[in-house]
Amino acid sequence: MSTAQIPDILSPEFAANPYPVYRAMRESAPLVWHEGMQSWIVSRYADVERVFKDKEAQFTTDNYNWQIEPVHGKTILQMSGREHSVRRALVAPAFRGSDLQEKFLPVIESNSRDLIDQFRTTGSADLVHDYATRFPVNVIADMLGLDKADHTRFHGWYTAVIAFLGNLAGDPEVAAAGERTRVEFAEYMIPIIRARRENLGDDLLSTLCAAEVDGVRMNDEDIKAFCSLLLAAGGETTDKAIASIFANLLMHPEQLAAVREDRSLIPRAFAETLRFTPPVHMIMRQSAVDVEVTGGTIPAGATVTCLIGAANRDENRYKDPDRFDLFREDLTATTAFSAAADHLAFALGRHFCVGALLAKAEVETGVNQLLDAMPDVRFADGFDPVEQGVFTRGPQTLPVRFTPLAA
Ligand code: HEM
């Protein structure tokens, strides 16, 4: 493909299969200016890694002022320096260590089990509709101590938020739906936050109300914005991750059999899924100064789109990058869920995903329980998974069949 023939990121051809386009960009257009998106685009692993790590303080996350603030309000993603580190220290402990293991693991296990119980005896399920789109958002609702009966509203809200974030073509209806979500979510959440402050419990929302670092606490608006971010950042992403790990394993039956036999392989299968089919395909930054990258100079003050989906398949970084192989030696599963990761699905640097260990706990629990419930799981006859989405991406539907276990 010559540079002139590379399909546009906003084209249907790209949405159908971005991977050949990513390859062409890495090879012959590693830095491109996209007029429609008003953004520079980088696609090679080394360039995306360098932007995320940002060792020389050349980039900011000011892009989130327009990309996300209109729907969430101001969140941790936009913050930098001390403001960011204080805010991160307020929220991070809930997503790792003893809080995660002791308080939230039982919540994860019971939410997964409840969903599987709905189809355990039927012999068929759609792993996207019946499981993946419900499990992570139910977990977050439960962690926050919200009413899971409001699931449909949560799902509607986070879908609208992610659509706003990924509104690369600037569709006014998508923008309006995102802004409506901000109003509706505040109307729902602020009274709950006020009531919780009066009556603190053991849930994450109470922890956020009470958390204090260096004399700093979060006000109602800050907490509402963070909860909105959690639903979107922790719902849609993990939902896609669970669907993708199953699609990848079902398409590679020998690797599925290996995981079924040895469950300690799940983190490797998840890490390889994050590399091969990342839930978030692109993340943006803003350049603070002129920056040299492969292929040219990004001028100061520009929006930069980092193509995670392209970088994670860079042939200069991974051998045979278009092959799903949980046994590959050039990806480290032990560091895959920390800022020392050698894939880019959680970004790297200061904004490295704060929920990575929660996502890992959800995926490990989910895959274990699903494999236990579905001993001979396979795709429904003739089914081939189809990925959907440009900004976030994952299988649209995953109909499976299995022999139910005797009660
Ligand atoms: C497989 C699942 C997940 C993926 C692929 C993912 C991806 C990402 C990425 C790429 C970023 C960096 C954004 C940037 O640098 O601009 C990020 C940040 C973040 N993620 Fe995740 N995420 C996942 C799960 C979760 C979960 C379960 C939660 C929490 C419930 C969560 C909460 C957050 C938060 C709060 C941030 C902002 C951190 C900061 O700005 O310091 N994520 N995530």
Side-chain angles (χ1 to χ4, degrees), residues 64 77 84 88 233-234 237-238 283 285 345-347 351 353-355 358:
Y64 286 123
L77 275 172
H84 176 258
R88 206 164 150 120
T237 53
T238 316
I283 283 288
R285 290 289 185 264
F346 292 124
H351 292 277
C353 176
V354 94
L358 172 63

Side-chain angles (χ1 to χ4, degrees), residues 161-366:
V161 168
I162 295 287
F164 186 95
L165 180 67
N167 189 13
L168 304 177
D171 181 334
E173 274 179 34
V174 172
E179 278 158 30
R180 267 199 311 280
T181 294
R182 176 183 183 146
V183 177
E184 285 173 19
F185 191 67
E187 282 170 3
Y188 173 86
M189 209 55 216
I190 298 280
I192 296 178
I193 296 169
R194 292 204 178 125
R196 201 62 57 90
R197 283 197 194 280
E198 299 298 312
N199 198 359
L200 291 179
D202 199 25
D203 52 77
L204 177 58
L205 190 53
S206 301
T207 309
L208 297 175
C209 290
E212 189 175 319
V213 171
D214 288 357
V216 179
R217 297 180 88 166
M218 285 188 274
N219 65 27
D220 294 354
E221 179 62 31
D222 294 336
I223 295 179
K224 183 229 72 183
F226 187 62
C227 292
S228 171
L229 174 64
L230 282 187
L231 281 176
E236 166 106 359
T237 53
T238 316
D239 147 353
K240 300 266 184 291
I242 292 173
S244 292
I245 192 174
F246 261 91
N248 289 332
L249 289 173
L250 286 161
M251 283 192 286
H252 298 87
E254 68 305 335
Q255 296 187 50
L256 174 62
V259 171
R260 180 182 288 292
E261 189 64 25
D262 176 1
R263 302 298 175 87
S264 72
L265 292 175
I266 297 173
R268 292 186 79 119
F270 184 28
E272 174 66 346
T273 293
L274 289 169
R275 181 197 71 80
F276 185 67
T277 44
V280 180
H281 269 234
M282 53 190 79
I283 283 288
M284 296 184 185
R285 290 289 185 264
Q286 194 167 309
S287 51
V289 292
D290 289 359
V291 188
E292 291 284 326
V293 292
T294 315
T297 305
I298 301 172
T303 303
V304 185
T305 300
C306 299
L307 291 181
I308 293 173
N312 270 356
R313 292 198 185 200
D314 190 332
E315 36 291 280
N316 288 321
R317 176 62 189 76
Y318 302 104
K319 193 165 163 256
D320 206 356
D322 290 326
R323 193 160 57 92
F324 177 82
D325 177 8
L326 69 89
F327 297 106
R328 67 170 52 248
E329 285 172 1
D330 46 14
L331 180 69
T332 324
T334 45
T335 53
F337 311 97
S338 75
D342 51 13
H343 63 83
L344 302 167
F346 292 124
L348 291 171
R350 289 185 294 285
H351 292 277
F352 181 85
C353 176
V354 94
L357 288 173
L358 172 63
K360 175 174 179 257
E362 291 179 327
V363 169
E364 276 186 301
T365 303

